[in-house]
Amino acid sequence: MPQSHNFLRLYTGPLSMFGAKAWIAALEKGLDFEVVMVQFNGRTGYDPKHPEVLRINPKAQVPVLVHGDLELFDSTQLFEYFEDLKPQPPLWPTDMRARTWARNLELQSDEVFSPHVIKLMGLQDALDQPAALAAREAIDGFRAKMERVLGEQSFLCGDFTYADIAFYMTQLFAERMGAPLGASMPRLLGWRERVTSRASVRTALAPLAAYLRANARPVPDYLQDIDGALSAAIV
């Protein structure tokens, strides 16, 4: 357990889209924290599990956050905690209705969009089969809806919010799994470029890009220039 009540430690992994969500948010908030990069390999995945992740999260998954004697898991719960811990700069809209809408979009990214992406993860050797085609169709349908939500705004809710973080990470993994974002959605392409350019995103995705390169896996074109510079200490 940390010795200081103010100590923040985030457990994540190089291929965790939910861990990256939390990392990006912590950086956007300007929190002082340490990252523990849980080891992952292509043969056994996250096995053996990190003992602190096993102890804290009954689902044995990252992200896990330790703040003094408080221990939390689940990326959305971490979003809420970060917002209470450090209200400025806000990552939820201050208007009640806008905040509720942003929370709804964040939820949809995790609970509506993500299951199709996760299904596609298990179909990498059968991308032309009906199950994979159905997953890709559902992914494109959700993205088309988000293209309409974005409209002429720079970000999904006007300003950059947790909703952008959640959708960006799930969208990135959809692309990695064989469902690329095409020219038919120019607004989302511009949005993707704006989000990718943020320092928080480039920092949190550096371990992902490094892992993909080290294991001869494709790196999305728009992540090719992300380097390994990190603004938080990694254990």
Side-chain angles (χ1 to χ4, degrees):
M1 296 290 288
Q3 296 179 351
S4 169
H5 179 71
N6 294 320
F7 185 93
L8 269 170
R9 174 176 285 164
L10 176 67
Y11 293 84
T12 185
L15 294 188
S16 173
M17 64 180 167
F18 297 110
K21 277 178 60 180
W23 193 349
I24 292 167
L27 289 169
E28 288 282 342
K29 281 292 184 181
L31 296 170
D32 184 15
F33 65 103
E34 176 183 78
V35 171
V36 177
M37 187 60 63
V38 177
Q39 295 302 306
F40 179 93
N41 69 69
R43 186 173 61 83
T44 60
Y46 291 106
D47 187 28
K49 304 284 188 178
H50 192 288
E52 284 296 272
V53 174
L54 280 173
R55 183 180 67 79
I56 295 168
N57 185 353
K59 297 171 71 174
Q61 299 171 344
V62 293
V64 163
L65 182 77
V66 176
H67 189 193
D69 58 359
L70 179 65
E71 299 168 339
L72 299 171
F73 58 91
D74 182 84
S75 59
T76 301
Q77 296 304 309
L78 268 56
F79 282 178
E80 297 296 342
Y81 183 64
F82 292 160
E83 200 68 7
D84 288 338
L85 181 65
K86 195 172 186 288
Q88 298 297 325
L91 285 178
W92 288 130
T94 54
D95 174 77
M96 181 187 72
R97 290 177 63 86
R99 184 168 61 250
T100 300
W101 175 236
R103 284 186 166 124
N104 181 272
L105 291 178
E106 194 270 347
L107 174 70
Q108 288 189 54
S109 288
D110 283 5
E111 302 297 334
V112 178
F113 186 33
S114 180
H116 301 300
V117 177
I118 292 171
K119 184 175 183 180
L120 204 56
M121 289 179 182
L123 297 169
Q124 291 301 287
D125 295 328
L127 289 177
D128 59 345
Q129 297 302 305
L133 294 174
R136 292 174 66 179
E137 182 178 2
I139 287 168
D140 283 340
F142 188 88
R143 289 192 293 212
K145 180 176 74 172
M146 298 301 270
E147 175 91 351
R148 295 190 295 271
V149 167
L150 182 62
E152 301 303 321
Q153 304 176 111
S154 294
F155 300 105
L156 295 175
C157 300
D159 294 326
F160 185 77
T161 70
Y162 294 114
D164 294 288
I165 298 173
F167 181 54
Y168 180 88
M169 286 309 308
T170 311
Q171 152 62 25
L172 167 58
F173 272 70
E175 295 191 270
R176 288 192 56 241
M177 294 300 114
L181 180 61
S184 64
M185 299 182 193
R187 292 169 176 170
L188 282 183
L189 286 170
W191 165 87
R192 187 184 69 183
E193 183 177 351
R194 288 188 289 276
V195 177
T196 303
S197 69
R198 299 181 78 88
S200 61
V201 174
R202 298 178 71 79
T203 293
L205 293 187
L208 168 64
Y211 180 90
L212 295 177
R213 291 189 186 103
N215 289 274
R217 296 191 189 182
V219 178
D221 290 345
Y222 59 95
L223 301 184
Q224 288 290 345
D225 65 341
I226 288 181
D227 59 30
L230 304 173
S231 64
I234 293 184
V235 176

